[in-house]
């Protein structure tokens, strides 16, 4: 843990604490009043607003204890104080138009602080929203379903159908459930990362990408921006369209499960450092010792495998297939842009420069 006990005063701690309460309180009010997210909450399930209210109340009581005991050095460079200074500066009387325009433009450290808050709010809320509205409510059902299917397959296997046919049937029946469970674990890790920006967890944000292209290429892949995105681009499919060939359908299911599982391994390796538009430190363990963007590669493979039945195996009109091809290519381009803009930001870090020299390829070893 980074400490500097002699320089951090009680005044510094209190200033940071109350500034954080104001900033996070404003974010909480925004979340509560945001109709787009609220409309997606399913009746009778634990919703993301309950989670953030509990999270904020927990921060009120736990944060000062942590701050006064640990005295993290980052308190002396509080992003929330920078955000409040920027906001209050907007309400000061300006003598000239030039002064007014100059104050609207945030300073570099203020821009970094504001972008850090946006990243935690936008992506963090997304993760918790999907966990509460889609993943966690169905968790018990998914496990029960897998257990029931396995029992049926065991009976099927003992009935003389053979191990191979039984596993093929099991893969077909449970593919979507396994994908959802993998996505649940992945989203849990991402939620933890976005909501625990702290030296205590060694995932303090060092810097953020504030470039328009970097931000745009990220947010268009996430709800609620995807409401607009999918109106112009064929959406990436969340599950396989059934195809007539029983064995080929099983193979596609199996490959998609493997692709998602490798993505989970890569996300787990990042753990608290995972997150869009941020530099929280460099990770060099598997699979990042082989290629630099394993998660983006898995996303691209997932898109291609999901689109495969539409493009080659189903009797759809040419217009539908053409739309699918264009949509698939655009989504691949988006993830390629994300890799480029991410590296443009990370390359400013000397440790990442050393990492690029050791791991030369973005997506495919020895090729690209």
């Amino acid at each position: 843990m980074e400490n500097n006990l002699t320089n951090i005063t009680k005044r510094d701690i209190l200033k940071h604490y109350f500034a954080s309460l104001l900033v996070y309180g404003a974010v909480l009010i925004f979340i509560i009043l945001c109709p787009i997210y609220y409309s997606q909450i399913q009746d009778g399930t634990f919703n993301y607003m309950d989670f953030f209210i509990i999270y904020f109340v927990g921060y009120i009581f736990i944060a000062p204890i942590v701050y006064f005991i640990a005295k993290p050095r980052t308190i002396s460079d509080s992003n929330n104080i920078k955000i409040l200074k920027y906001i209050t500066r907007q309400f000061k009387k300006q003598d000239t138009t030039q002064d007014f325009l100059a104050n609207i433009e945030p300073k570099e450290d203020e821009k970094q602080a504001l972008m850090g808050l946006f990243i935690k709010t936008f992506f963090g809320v997304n993760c918790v929203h999907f966990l509460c509205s889609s993943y966690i409510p169905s968790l018990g059902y998914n496990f029960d379903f897998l257990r029931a299917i396995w029992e049926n397959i065991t009976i099927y296997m003992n009935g003389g159908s053979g191990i191979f046919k039984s596993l093929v049937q099991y893969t077909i029946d449970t593919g979507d459930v396994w994908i959802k469970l993998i996505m649940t674990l992945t989203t849990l890790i991402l939620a933890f990362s976005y909501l625990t920006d702290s030296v205590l967890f060694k995932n303090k944000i060092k810097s953020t990408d504030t470039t328009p292209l970097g931000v745009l290429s990220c947010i268009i892949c996430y709800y609620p921006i995807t409401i607009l995105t999918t109106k112009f681009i064929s959406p990436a499919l969340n599950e396989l369209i059934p195809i007539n060939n029983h064995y080929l359908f099983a193979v596609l299911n199996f490959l998609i499960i493997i692709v998602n599982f490798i993505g989970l391994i890569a996300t787990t390796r990042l753990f608290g450092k995972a997150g869009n538009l941020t530099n929280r430190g460099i990770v060099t363990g598997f699979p990042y010792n082989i290629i630099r963007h394993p998660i983006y590669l898995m996303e691209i493979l997932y898109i291609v495998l999901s689109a495969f039945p539409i493009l080659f195996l189903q009797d759809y009109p040419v217009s539908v297939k053409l739309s699918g091809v264009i949509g698939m290519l655009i989504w691949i381009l988006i993830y390629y842009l994300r890799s480029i803009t991410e590296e443009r930001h990370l390359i400013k870090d000397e440790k990442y420069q050393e990492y690029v020299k050791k791991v030369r390829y973005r997506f495919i070893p020895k090729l690209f």
Side-chain angles (χ1 to χ4, degrees):
M1 185 195 311
E2 284 189 76
N3 287 326
N4 192 341
L5 301 179
T6 57
N7 292 336
I8 303 300
T9 66
K10 291 181 179 179
R11 178 182 173 84
D12 293 330
I13 293 173
L14 291 173
K15 282 176 63 178
H16 169 72
Y17 173 63
F18 286 111
S20 299
L21 287 184
L22 286 172
V23 171
Y24 297 150
V27 170
L28 179 61
I29 292 171
F30 169 78
I31 293 172
I32 291 173
L33 298 178
C34 184
I36 294 179
Y37 286 107
Y38 188 81
S39 65
Q40 296 295 310
I41 296 174
Q42 300 173 6
D43 293 335
T45 62
F46 182 72
N47 68 63
Y48 77 102
M49 289 190 292
D50 293 336
F51 171 85
F52 280 110
I53 290 171
I54 294 170
Y55 188 83
F56 182 70
V57 172
Y59 181 85
I60 292 174
F61 293 103
I62 296 173
I65 299 173
V66 175
Y67 293 153
F68 277 105
I69 293 176
K71 294 185 178 179
R73 186 184 305 173
T74 50
I75 283 179
S76 62
D77 190 35
S78 171
N79 284 331
N80 289 326
I81 290 177
K82 293 174 186 175
I83 291 171
L84 287 184
K85 284 183 177 179
Y86 170 74
I87 293 172
T88 54
R89 196 169 69 242
Q90 307 310 307
F91 294 94
K92 290 182 179 179
K93 184 178 179 181
Q94 309 297 330
D95 295 328
T96 65
T97 304
Q98 288 77 9
D99 291 338
F100 173 77
L101 294 175
N103 277 324
I104 291 178
E105 176 69 23
K107 301 173 184 177
E108 183 56 34
D109 61 339
E110 294 171 341
K111 187 184 294 185
Q112 287 287 317
L114 288 164
M115 181 56 70
L117 180 65
F118 167 76
I119 289 168
K120 286 184 279 189
T121 301
F122 182 84
F123 296 108
V125 169
N126 252 297
C127 291
V128 176
H129 167 253
F130 280 116
L131 283 171
C132 292
S133 63
S134 299
Y135 295 145
I136 292 178
S138 63
L139 200 57
Y141 167 79
N142 289 335
F143 283 120
D144 290 340
F145 178 81
L146 288 175
R147 183 166 54 250
I149 292 295
W150 180 251
E151 290 173 356
N152 288 339
I153 292 299
T154 303
I155 296 171
Y156 184 59
M157 191 184 304
N158 294 333
S161 296
I163 295 176
F164 179 71
K165 286 186 177 180
S166 300
L167 290 177
V168 166
Q169 188 61 49
Y170 181 78
T171 303
I172 291 173
D173 291 341
T174 63
D176 291 339
V177 175
W178 280 112
I179 292 169
K180 198 163 188 177
L181 289 174
I182 291 170
M183 290 301 299
T184 301
L185 290 174
T186 301
T187 309
L188 274 170
I189 294 171
L190 291 172
F192 173 83
S193 178
Y194 285 120
L195 301 179
T196 57
D197 171 27
S198 171
V199 293
L200 295 172
F201 299 103
K202 298 181 180 179
N203 69 337
K204 187 69 180 175
I205 295 176
K206 294 183 177 181
S207 61
T208 62
D209 183 0
T210 59
T211 62
L213 182 60
V215 176
L216 180 62
S217 63
C218 277
I219 65 174
I220 62 175
C221 300
Y222 290 87
Y223 182 84
I225 308 301
T226 48
I227 294 175
L228 179 62
T229 306
T230 54
K231 289 184 179 296
F232 300 98
I233 308 172
S234 296
L237 300 176
N238 293 322
E239 55 186 34
L240 271 177
I241 294 177
I243 53 180
N244 296 327
N245 189 307
H246 200 63
Y247 294 106
L248 185 55
F249 187 47
V251 169
L252 284 174
N253 263 292
F254 180 74
L255 289 176
I256 283 186
I257 292 171
I258 294 299
V259 162
N260 278 273
F261 184 69
I262 295 173
L264 173 62
I265 293 174
T267 305
T268 304
R269 174 62 70 177
L270 291 174
F271 202 66
K273 292 181 173 65
N276 293 298
L277 301 169
T278 61
N279 176 11
R280 301 169 185 258
I282 309 305
V283 173
T284 58
F286 177 84
Y288 290 92
N289 60 344
I290 300 175
I291 56 174
R292 300 201 297 268
H293 298 287
I295 295 177
Y296 292 156
L297 175 61
M298 294 306 108
E299 291 283 359
I300 289 171
L301 290 176
Y302 185 23
I303 291 168
V304 173
L305 289 170
S306 298
F308 190 81
I310 295 178
L311 303 182
F312 302 105
L313 302 176
Q314 294 286 16
D315 188 21
Y316 287 106
V318 175
S319 59
V320 173
K321 292 190 175 186
L322 182 60
S323 174
V325 170
I326 294 173
M328 182 182 70
L329 293 176
I330 291 175
W331 280 113
I332 292 172
L333 176 61
I334 287 170
Y335 281 102
Y336 179 66
L337 284 175
R338 288 179 66 174
S339 72
I340 292 176
T341 55
E342 183 177 292
E343 290 201 339
R344 185 178 59 184
H345 169 230
L346 293 174
I347 204 68
K348 298 173 185 177
D349 189 328
E350 291 182 1
K351 290 184 178 180
Y352 193 78
Q353 294 173 17
E354 296 173 3
Y355 169 68
V356 170
K357 292 177 183 177
K358 294 178 181 178
V359 183
R360 296 173 55 192
Y361 300 96
R362 285 194 181 108
F363 297 107
I364 305 174
K366 307 296 182 181
L367 186 62
F368 178 62

